[in-house]
């Protein structure tokens, strides 16, 4: 029995080949990111040696670069095979094609939210309601999607104002799902002003999740979301309570929209979410569409002000987590999933190719089909460029396989966009061709002046800085968000 | 207005234009070919507070970065195409992704 | 081969599966010994007549550790092999002593002889194991070296012992053949787990530890193929001087490339087998790799990968890792040192292998703390 020295197992070193990666300056170092998002921070000289093929195998960073697939020094096909598998995992959301189907069941609403991207139509005009015939066709199209898990989201106006149609869709979808052995999840985005016991019972019995707007404490919320009586906050809070009692605590979620008024109050908004018993908060920027553009003087704000707000809110949320309160910031969680894990995310607004039309489809009350909610807003303002067709006039193939959608997808592949194609954080970011179109005039957009770019670039860098900072507990908090469980559950209970 | 004379043997047109692209928000960028191996880039301030010498310095550094990027991209292009092709080829054999997150 | 039966009331149609264990107390009674697969007695005399029934092994001395349901193999040499102990949670079956690696720290040094007779024994053994057995280990050498018969064994376990968790220890190298991995996946054993070692994120470091060129690539290809075909995998890492340095990096490598692994076992080294020959390159006091072990374990835990630490005593682990430590040493191997007598955490500590009495950490000392209660739970 003969044992060999380590050198026997190290093939003669004849150099290495580079594997694909991108780079940029980052706080005095170089950030290098490979094709699937694994990243390292290295010194300038290391990068120089690396690309000049002069990095020695004994160098302390060499083995890290090799193990993380930035270079390979053997003939083995294994690194490529592993990279291909990881790449496929990251893009696996494509196999499901359209997973999120939004049904706009009515345009009627009782609120006049400043940032609303929908016609403000008062509550008694039923010609703005979706008909059963339209719903039936939309369901047919929904179930043509190959997605294993479908999600149907009800929007409006205020969807509960057309509860009969909502019920019709839920029942129709459940029947189809049972027949096809597929899963479908339901969500209704509602302002909770029209809850009845009958409605709540139906939502409970059909496992419909509720998503409602909570913009912050009463002053912020009511100022953003006017309605007759100016009591949107009170209605929301009592609605949340009532809905939780009927459906269960975790069946009610809240989303937040940032406006100028929100900007001064990051901690108060976060605290409001904790007070109301939520364990998730989504710090979304205001989108530059629809009425938001028209009422820009009320809701407009500089991007830098939003970023300051975001960082303050995020810092406060991290502190709360460190103190034992489990509260996830959803936007960070999505980005961190891309940065820290091999897994994809289902978030359609940060995907390449962009999710518009392929990850999400919107069926408006009149049967028009749009690639996204934003596309529908544009149509409300007179621009129907992103309308795919109508459920009564077009087939599935025409709508989802037609030239219009294909060219939109072609324009939203980050790997080939000007400015993005060799960006270091490409794998963490995404595309929004509609935001480009609305703010910059073309779906391709102009990166240096793009809000979408600036916002995401800054947040990504901020998260990277926090993760690589001196504070171990911040990393733990980030991992708790990515794995969706509190830090206290990292360690098993002692037996 | 600041002028940079760039050596065409060090920086290709593609590298130069990719860098210029990123300065079009802060500057007006004028590009001119001076000779077979010489390209002139003029940057004039568009708006904002950053001084032109600083911008010129950033431009010069980005040229270096972009050249490295370009080199790596060219060197790894074949491997990149290979791994993407392999990823999508096997996707049909392996529809049910075995890699699912620990939490739903 | 047969199950131990300690009473004479075994039904006649089941006797061919049983070995009757008899003792002096039955002398004088008329006993019907027809039909048994074999006989076993601690006594040399007065065993059911003259000559005593055959096949039988007599006069072996104390046999009181054998119980009903245990499976023994009576050999012509007079040896009695205990193949399965019903009351033990840790039964391991040896598939072959042949191996295609030669790990520096191998605790079951390989032998090249053709021992395919073992497979026949195993196939018979599966028929005799208690169907309520919770877990069985299948090990070697390298079990997959028996080729297609490996699949036959797994199939038989699936058919006869569907409630039994089957834990196979293998280096996974032969699963570089995608067809072999697919064949295993197609068996659809309801509770199969392969425990596969990976000792580094760098190919030549792993190859050195297992003393086989190309082993890393083959194992990685095997992991990939097995995952594609739905086979559950546990990664095992034996901790010693050649594996501790890049342990945190290995954790990251596993997470990015094999995020589907069901469990990671980080194992203290047993002073057994080939370890003694290679002690100079293997030995490191466990307290000297606490930092790497802690970083690797907590990294896996944060990422949601189930991870356990085996074969470490509580006094050699940082407190943060105590909840990950298991009482993993087989009950019949587990001992404590004299110095442990006054230790407050003995109950939850893993203890030692017998072999540790020869060499162990300098840090072994009684801890005066009470055992830790469950930390703040969910």
């Amino acid at each position: 029995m003969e044992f060999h020295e380590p050198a026997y197992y190290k093939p003669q070193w004849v150099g290495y080949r580079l594997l694909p990666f991108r780079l940029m300056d980052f706080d005095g170092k170089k950030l290098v990111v490979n094709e699937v998002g694994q990243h390292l921070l290295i010194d300038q000289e290391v990068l120089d040696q690396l690309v000049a093929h002069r990095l020695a195998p004994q160098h302390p960073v060499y083995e890290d670069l090799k193990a993380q697939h930035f270079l390979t020094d053997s003939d083995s096909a294994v690194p490529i095979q592993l990279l291909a598998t990881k790449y496929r995992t990251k893009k696996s959301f494509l196999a499901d094609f359209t997973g999120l189907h939004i049904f706009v069941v009515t345009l009627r609403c009782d609120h006049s939210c400043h940032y609303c991207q929908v016609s403000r139509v008062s509550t008694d005009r039923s010609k703005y309601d979706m008909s059963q015939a339209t719903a039936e066709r939309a369901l047919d199209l929904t179930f043509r999607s190959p997605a294993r898990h479908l999600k149907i989201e009800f929007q409006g106006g205020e969807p509960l104002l057309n509860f009969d149609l909502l019920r019709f869709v839920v029942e129709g979808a459940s029947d189809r799902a049972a027949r096809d052995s597929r899963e479908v999840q339901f969500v209704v985005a509602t302002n909770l002003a029209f809850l009845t016991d009958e409605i709540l019972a139906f939502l409970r019995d059909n496992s419909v999740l509720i998503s409602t707007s909570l913009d912050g404490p009463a002053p912020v919320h009511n100022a953003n979301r006017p309605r007759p009586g100016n009591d949107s906050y009170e209605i929301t809070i009592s609605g949340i309570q009532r809905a939780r009692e009927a459906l269960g605590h975790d069946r009610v979620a809240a989303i937040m929209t940032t406006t100028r008024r929100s900007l001064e109050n990051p901690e108060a908004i976060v605290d409001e979410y904790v007070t109301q018993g939520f364990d998730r908060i989504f710090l979304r920027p205001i989108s530059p569409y629809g009425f938001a553009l028209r009422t820009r003087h009320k809701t407009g704000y500089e991007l830098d002000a939003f970023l300051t707000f975001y960082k303050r809110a995020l810092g406060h949320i991290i502190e709360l987590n460190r103190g034992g309160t489990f509260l996830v910031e959803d936007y960070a969680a999505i980005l961190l999933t891309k940065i820290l894990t091999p897994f994809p995310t289902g978030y359609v607004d940060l995907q390449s190719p962009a999710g518009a039309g392929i990850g999400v489809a919107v069926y408006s009350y009149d049967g028009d089909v749009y690639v996204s909610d934003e596309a529908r807003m544009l149509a409300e303002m007179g621009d129907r460029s992103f309308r795919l067709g109508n459920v009564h006039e077009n087939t599935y193939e025409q709508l989802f396989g037609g030239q219009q959608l294909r060219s939109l997808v072609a324009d939203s592949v980050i790997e080939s966009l000007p400015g993005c194609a060799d960006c270091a954080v490409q794998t963490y970011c995404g595309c929004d061709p509609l935001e480009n179109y609305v703010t910059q005039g073309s779906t391709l957009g102009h990166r240096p002046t793009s809000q979408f770019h600036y916002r995401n670039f800054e947040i990504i860098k901020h998260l990277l800085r926090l993760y690589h900072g001196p504070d171990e507990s911040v990393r733990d908090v980030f991992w708790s968000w990515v794995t969706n469980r509190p830090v206290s559950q990292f360690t098993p209970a002692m037996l | 207005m600041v002028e940079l004379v760039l050596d065409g043997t060090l920086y290709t047109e593609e590298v130069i234009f990719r860098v210029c692209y990123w300065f079009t928000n802060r500057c007006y960028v004028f590009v001119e070919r001076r000779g077979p191996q010489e390209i002139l880039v003029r940057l004039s301030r568009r708006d904002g507070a950053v001084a032109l010498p600083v911008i010129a310095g950033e431009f010069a550094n980005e040229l270096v970065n972009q050249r490295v990027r370009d080199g790596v991209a060219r060197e790894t292009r074949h491997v990149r195409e290979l791994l993407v092709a392999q990823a999508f080829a096997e996707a049909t054999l392996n529809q049910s992704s075995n890699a699912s997150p620990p939490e739903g | 081969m047969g199950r131990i039966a300690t009473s004479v009331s075994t039904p006649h149609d089941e006797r061919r599966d049983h070995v009757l264990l008899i003792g002096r107390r039955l002398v004088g009674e008329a006993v019907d010994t027809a039909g048994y697969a074999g006989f076993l007695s601690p006594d040399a005399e007065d065993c059911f007549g003259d000559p005593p029934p055959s096949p039988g092994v007599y006069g072996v001395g104390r046999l009181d550790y054998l119980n009903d349901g245990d499976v023994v193999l009576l050999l012509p040499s007079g040896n009695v092999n205990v193949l399965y102990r019903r009351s033990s949670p840790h039964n391991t079956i040896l598939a072959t002593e042949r191996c295609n690696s030669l790990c520096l720290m191998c605790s079951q040094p390989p032998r090249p002889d053709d021992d395919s007779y073992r497979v026949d024994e195993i196939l018979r053994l599966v028929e005799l194991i208690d169907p309520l057995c919770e877990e069985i280990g299948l090990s070697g050498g390298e079990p997959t070296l028996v080729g297609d018969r490996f699949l036959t064994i797994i199939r038989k376990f699936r058919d006869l012992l569907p409630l039994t968790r089957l834990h196979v220890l293998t280096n996974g190298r032969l699963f570089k053949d995608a067809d072999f991995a697919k064949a295993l996946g197609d068996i659809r054993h309801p509770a199969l787990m392969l425990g596969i070692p990976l000792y580094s994120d760098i190919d030549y470091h792993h190859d050195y530890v297992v003393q086989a060129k190309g082993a890393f690539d083959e194992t990685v290809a095997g992991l990939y193929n097995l995952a594609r075909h739905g086979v559950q995998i546990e990664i095992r890492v034996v901790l010693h001087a050649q594996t501790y340095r890049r342990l945190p990096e290995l954790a990251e490598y596993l997470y990015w490339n094999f995020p589907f692994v069901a469990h990671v076992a980080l194992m203290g080294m047993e002073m057994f087998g080939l370890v003694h020959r290679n002690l100079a390159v293997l030995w490191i006091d466990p307290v000297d790799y606490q930092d790497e072990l802690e970083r690797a374990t907590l990294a896996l835990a944060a990422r949601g990968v189930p991870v356990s630490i085996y074969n470490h005593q509580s006094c050699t682990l940082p407190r943060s890792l105590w909840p990950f430590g298991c009482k993993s040493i087989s009950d019949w191997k587990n001992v404590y040192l004299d110095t442990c007598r006054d230790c407050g955490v003995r109950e939850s500590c893993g203890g030692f292998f017998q072999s540790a009495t020869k060499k162990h950490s300098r840090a072994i000392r009684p801890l005066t703390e009470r055992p830790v209660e469950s930390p703040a739970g969910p």
Side-chain angles (χ1 to χ4, degrees), chain A residues 101-105 130 135 138-139 142 152-156 169 361 363:
Chain A
H101 298 263
I102 297 178
F103 281 62
V104 181
V105 299
M130 183 185 273
L139 275 174
T142 298
I152 291 180
E153 186 168 316
F154 297 101
Q155 287 185 12
V169 172
Y363 309 98

Side-chain angles (χ1 to χ4, degrees), chain A residues 4 63-64 76 85-86 485, chain C residues 205 211 217 224 246 257 301:
Chain A
H4 300 286
E63 288 189 341
D64 289 342
S76 168
T85 304
K86 287 185 281 193
R485 79 235 208 266
Chain C
H205 292 323
Q211 294 279 306
D217 282 354
Y224 171 75
R246 288 190 68 84
N257 295 288

Side-chain angles (χ1 to χ4, degrees), chain A residues 99 101-103 132 135-144 147-154 164-187 202 206-208 363:
Chain A
H101 298 263
I102 297 178
F103 281 62
Q132 284 195 0
E136 192 79 44
R137 272 297 295 151
L139 275 174
D140 288 341
L141 292 167
T142 298
F143 278 81
R144 286 293 304 274
R148 287 161 292 163
H149 303 287
L150 291 167
K151 188 160 151 186
I152 291 180
E153 186 168 316
F154 297 101
D164 286 335
L165 200 274
L166 187 154
R167 180 167 39 201
F168 178 79
V169 172
V170 170
E171 285 167 356
S174 302
D175 286 342
R176 282 172 172 76
R179 190 188 61 206
D180 293 352
S181 304
R182 293 165 80 170
E183 278 178 42
V184 59
Q185 192 185 53
F186 301 102
V187 184
F202 179 83
N206 291 276
S207 303
V208 180
Y363 309 98

Side-chain angles (χ1 to χ4, degrees), chain A residues 109-407:
Chain A
C109 191
D110 61 317
H111 278 57
S112 308
C113 305
H114 294 306
Y115 46 73
C116 182
Q117 297 146 27
V118 164
S119 300
R120 292 155 195 184
V121 181
S122 67
T123 58
D124 53 14
R125 299 228 243 139
S126 57
K127 67 176 167 162
Y128 289 101
D129 287 3
M130 183 185 273
S131 70
Q132 284 195 0
T134 300
E136 192 79 44
R137 272 297 295 151
L139 275 174
D140 288 341
L141 292 167
T142 298
F143 278 81
R144 286 293 304 274
S145 164
R148 287 161 292 163
H149 303 287
L150 291 167
K151 188 160 151 186
I152 291 180
E153 186 168 316
F154 297 101
Q155 287 185 12
E158 169 46 53
L160 293 184
L161 283 172
N162 192 1
F163 175 69
D164 286 335
L165 200 274
L166 187 154
R167 180 167 39 201
F168 178 79
V169 172
V170 170
E171 285 167 356
S174 302
D175 286 342
R176 282 172 172 76
R179 190 188 61 206
D180 293 352
S181 304
R182 293 165 80 170
E183 278 178 42
V184 59
Q185 192 185 53
F186 301 102
V187 184
V188 56
T190 168
N191 61 31
L192 301 173
F194 298 94
L195 292 178
T196 67
D197 288 335
E198 183 205 353
I199 289 177
L200 283 171
F202 179 83
L203 297 180
R204 180 198 63 219
D205 295 340
N206 291 276
S207 303
V208 180
L209 294 167
I210 284 182
S211 170
T212 193
S213 277
L214 180 63
D215 285 0
V220 176
H221 184 101
N222 284 337
N224 282 351
R225 300 172 62 82
R227 76 185 292 276
N230 205 39
D231 55 352
S232 178
Y233 175 82
E234 288 73 15
I235 288 180
T236 299
I237 298 306
S238 63
I240 288 171
Q241 206 167 342
R242 197 175 165 195
R244 276 179 173 156
E245 271 162 27
L247 273 59
H249 184 99
D250 294 331
R251 309 294 292 175
V252 181
I255 53 173
M256 177 224 141
T257 306
T258 318
T259 63
R260 182 171 279 159
R261 209 169 260 98
S262 321
L263 295 183
E264 292 123 41
N265 295 300
E267 291 85 2
I269 295 173
V270 172
D271 289 340
E272 179 69 25
Y273 268 68
V274 176
T275 305
Q276 299 305 331
F278 290 105
D279 62 5
R280 314 191 76 86
I281 179 171
F282 199 146
L283 298 174
R284 302 186 305 161
I286 189 172
S287 68
Y289 305 102
F291 286 95
L293 268 179
R294 288 194 207 158
T295 58
R296 209 176 156 79
H297 64 281
K298 284 192 181 122
T299 57
Y301 57 93
E302 295 303 324
L303 196 40
D304 282 325
F306 170 74
L307 287 167
T308 304
F309 163 85
Y310 182 85
K311 290 176 188 174
R312 267 176 65 185
L314 185 70
H316 186 59
I317 294 169
I318 291 173
E319 270 320 295
L320 287 168
N321 276 274
R322 281 156 64 157
T325 304
F326 181 59
L327 178 64
V328 181
E329 201 287 292
D330 273 321
Y331 201 68
I334 289 163
L335 287 170
L336 290 167
T337 300
K338 287 160 165 278
I339 295 170
L340 301 176
T341 87
F343 304 119
T345 69
Y347 184 58
V348 296
D349 290 342
L350 268 181
Q351 265 174 218
S352 168
I358 62 171
V360 57
V362 176
Y363 309 98
S364 188
Y365 72 98
D366 55 7
D368 280 349
V369 183
Y370 295 96
V371 299
S372 71
D373 223 23
E374 289 73 22
R376 183 172 67 101
M377 313 321 165
L378 266 182
E380 292 291 329
M381 293 169 61
D383 185 340
R384 310 210 309 167
S385 306
F386 299 97
R387 172 188 173 273
L388 292 175
N390 188 287
V391 301
H392 296 294
E393 293 158 16
N394 302 104
T395 65
Y396 179 81
E397 288 72 17
Q398 286 170 340
L399 292 165
F400 293 100
Q403 193 48 46
Q404 186 184 12
L405 186 55
R406 281 172 197 271
S407 54

